[in-house]
Amino acid sequence: MAKPRLSRVPARKSSSSTMFLTLLIMFTFLVLILLALGILSIPSSNSRSSHKPNDLSSIVHNVVDKNDYDEGVGEQWVEVISWEPRAFIYHNFLSKEECEYLIDLAKPHMEKSTVVDTETGKSKDSRVRTSSGTFLPRGRDKIIRNIEQRIADFTFIPVEHGEGLQVLHYEVGQKYEPHYDYFMDEFNTKNGGQRIATVLMYLSDVEEGGETVFPSAKGNISAVPWWNELSECGKGGLSVKPKMGDALLFWSMKPDATLDPSSLHGGCPVIRGNKWSSTKWMRVNEYKV
Ligand SMILES: *[C@@H]1O[C@H](CO)[C@@H](O)[C@H](O)[C@H]1NC(C)=O
């Protein structure tokens, strides 16, 4: 029954299927054009991130994610504070217990801090750095291994590229003048190569002063929300106020592997209170301990 009918109207059938195909192709092109023009958009699972990656109009971006895997730790999120230097704050990176643990561990071993002599590569006393400090060996115990793994996850640099944690203590009036973390000598880069990034963890709050300041940062330094709380020294650049548990990550090298002079940074004098911090320097290559 159907067969003869089909054979009787071949011309009509083919013209209607040609019409259908043409319409289909036209519709497809229309959708593609709308997609290209951005009038239509494919629903994305990532629709939460609304800011454009190149939008540098303000120095502070509230970014990334809350994460609730760790109970008893305050809300954790990452904030981009600058692209020149590349600097990020990871809020509530350490728990209060971890901060206290590091301080208690370091306290009996604090020594007057030194700086590296650029000619000999040896440590020397200095007036630019008046804090006291001590090194905790990498992988010393479970808590430290845990922190070091978290640093590796945050920086995407393997644990083996890290130097031992340094714990620092600044009392009222103590400071660290602006400096670079990268080396200009051969001696200090023999093991592990150049320092590529630094993670600076604040183990205590500081009532006044003690900011980490980047005097060569590009951008509107007074646009930070905490501008009015900064000390005179802190207003000399892009500043981060110490807050117990927060970690500051900044890069001493640019993505093209050249040294980044905008990573110049210092520790402002403590005006009121006490500052405890811990530093992890990360190398380009494996750092043998
Ligand atoms: C810098 O930021 C502050 C605070 O947001 C604003 O008042 C000031 O006009 C800005 N300066 C420039 C040069 O954009």
Side-chain angles (χ1 to χ4, degrees):
M1 198 59 192
K3 226 177 178 182
R5 214 185 139 215
L6 262 178
S7 60
R8 230 187 300 145
V9 285
R12 236 185 104 198
K13 169 72 184 168
S14 90
S15 88
S16 77
S17 68
T18 307
M19 177 93 108
F20 177 72
L21 266 178
T22 312
L23 279 172
L24 190 68
I25 289 166
M26 280 171 65
F27 178 73
T28 307
F29 271 101
L30 184 69
V31 168
L32 284 175
I33 287 164
L34 288 178
L35 276 173
L37 292 175
I39 295 167
L40 263 184
S41 70
I42 297 167
S44 145
S45 61
N46 203 15
S47 54
R48 267 179 311 154
S49 73
S50 55
H51 83 271
K52 301 184 192 79
N54 295 328
D55 177 11
L56 298 180
S57 59
S58 103
I59 203 163
V60 176
H61 307 270
N62 280 323
V63 196
V64 197
D65 236 345
K66 294 185 285 185
N67 113 32
D68 38 25
Y69 68 83
D70 234 344
E71 305 236 345
V73 177
E75 194 176 64
Q76 296 180 307
W77 79 100
V78 177
E79 189 170 38
V80 178
I81 60 157
S82 163
W83 287 109
E84 254 187 289
R86 292 187 289 151
F88 313 87
I89 301 176
Y90 191 127
H91 295 269
N92 295 307
F93 184 78
L94 299 178
S95 69
K96 189 165 181 279
E97 289 70 32
E98 286 170 327
C99 293
E100 285 165 357
Y101 179 79
L102 291 177
I103 293 173
D104 289 345
L105 213 53
K107 225 173 215 170
H109 308 286
M110 300 304 278
E111 287 168 22
K112 191 177 176 335
S113 299
T114 54
V115 294
V116 177
D117 189 302
T118 45
E119 261 132 57
T120 64
K122 303 274 161 53
S123 291
K124 63 170 186 187
D125 266 14
S126 162
R127 237 158 302 168
V128 303
R129 189 179 197 188
T130 54
S131 56
S132 56
T134 191
F135 272 99
L136 304 173
R138 196 175 73 203
R140 183 190 180 279
D141 59 54
K142 197 162 168 252
I143 295 176
I144 290 186
R145 280 197 296 278
N146 195 285
I147 294 170
E148 287 171 336
Q149 185 55 53
R150 208 175 310 149
I151 292 172
D153 293 345
F154 177 30
T155 58
F156 302 105
I157 300 172
V159 167
E160 294 73 27
H161 291 219
E163 299 176 35
L165 277 177
Q166 193 190 36
V167 178
L168 287 170
H169 183 212
Y170 298 80
E171 289 176 273
V172 169
Q174 295 185 331
K175 57 165 186 195
Y176 195 173
E177 296 283 352
H179 60 280
Y180 304 107
D181 279 358
Y182 52 71
F183 296 110
M184 296 306 230
D185 62 289
E186 299 260 297
F187 179 87
N188 281 288
T189 50
K190 274 187 189 140
N191 183 6
Q194 193 55 268
R195 281 177 176 163
I196 184 171
T198 302
V199 175
L200 206 162
M201 292 159 282
Y202 302 105
L203 307 181
S204 71
D205 293 324
V206 180
E207 285 172 63
E208 198 182 338
E211 300 93 343
T212 303
V213 61
F214 295 91
S216 304
K218 308 289 191 299
N220 186 351
I221 56 168
S222 64
V224 295
W226 49 84
W227 177 253
N228 289 326
E229 300 161 42
L230 296 176
S231 67
E232 210 52 49
C233 160
K235 288 182 174 167
L238 173 67
S239 280
V240 177
K241 267 182 76 68
K243 187 176 161 292
M244 184 201 270
D246 283 3
L248 166 67
L249 162 66
F250 61 89
W251 296 79
S252 293
M253 293 173 83
K254 298 186 222 170
D256 68 0
T258 60
L259 300 178
D260 186 353
S262 73
S263 67
L264 183 74
H265 62 283
C268 286
V270 172
I271 297 172
R272 277 192 302 143
N274 250 285
K275 177 182 173 186
W276 285 90
S277 64
S278 182
T279 306
K280 168 70 85 179
W281 289 292
M282 311 295 284
R283 301 293 188 115
V284 165
N285 304 310
E286 181 180 348
Y287 185 79
K288 301 237 165 43
V289 289

